[in-house]
């Protein structure tokens, strides 16, 4: 059998992918990744978001949607700079 290459979702660090999702305005990381054919585990996505928050690249922002308070994640200025760096840096 011929070995196929792993999908990029499994080759790229999730932190980097979360940065790109937020930087390009694709929505919140977890709901976006759950639309993928092979989504990463929820806990892994949450840990990636938490790491970005810990280093100051992302923050939680309370948003009101349909009367319910919901926390969204947004990039900080540092996160926007990190998202522009080439991969592997």
């Amino acid at each position: 059998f011929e070995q196929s290459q792993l999908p990029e979702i499994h080759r790229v660090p999730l932190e980097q992918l979360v940065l790109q999702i937020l930087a390009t305005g694709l929505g919140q990381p977890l709901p976006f990744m759950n639309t993928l054919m092979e989504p990463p585990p929820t806990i892994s996505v949450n840990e990636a978001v938490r790491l970005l928050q810990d280093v100051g690249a992302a923050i939680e922002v309370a948003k009101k949607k349909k009367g319910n308070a919901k926390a969204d994640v947004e990039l900080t200025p540092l996160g926007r700079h990190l998202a522009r760096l080439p991969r592997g840096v």
Side-chain angles (χ1 to χ4, degrees):
F1 289 92
E2 197 173 304
Q3 291 288 345
S4 61
Q5 189 173 6
L6 283 173
E8 189 168 2
I9 188 79
H10 297 292
R11 291 183 281 132
V12 176
L14 282 179
E15 295 81 12
Q16 182 178 354
L17 190 55
V18 168
L19 281 172
Q20 293 304 315
I21 290 168
L22 293 171
T24 55
L26 294 173
Q28 292 300 296
L30 188 58
F32 177 81
M33 288 194 204
N34 283 337
T35 66
L36 302 175
M37 289 180 68
E38 295 181 35
T42 298
I43 192 164
S44 298
V45 176
N46 289 336
E47 287 299 317
V49 169
R50 188 178 338 269
L51 177 63
L52 291 173
Q53 290 173 329
D54 288 347
V55 299
I59 57 170
E60 271 191 6
V61 178
K63 299 233 177 176
K64 287 208 170 226
K65 294 188 179 178
K66 297 182 183 177
N68 295 331
K70 181 182 181 249
D72 283 349
V73 178
E74 293 182 359
L75 292 180
T76 63
L78 172 63
R80 286 190 289 279
H81 286 293
L82 291 174
R84 286 189 289 234
L85 290 174
R87 289 194 325 194
V89 172

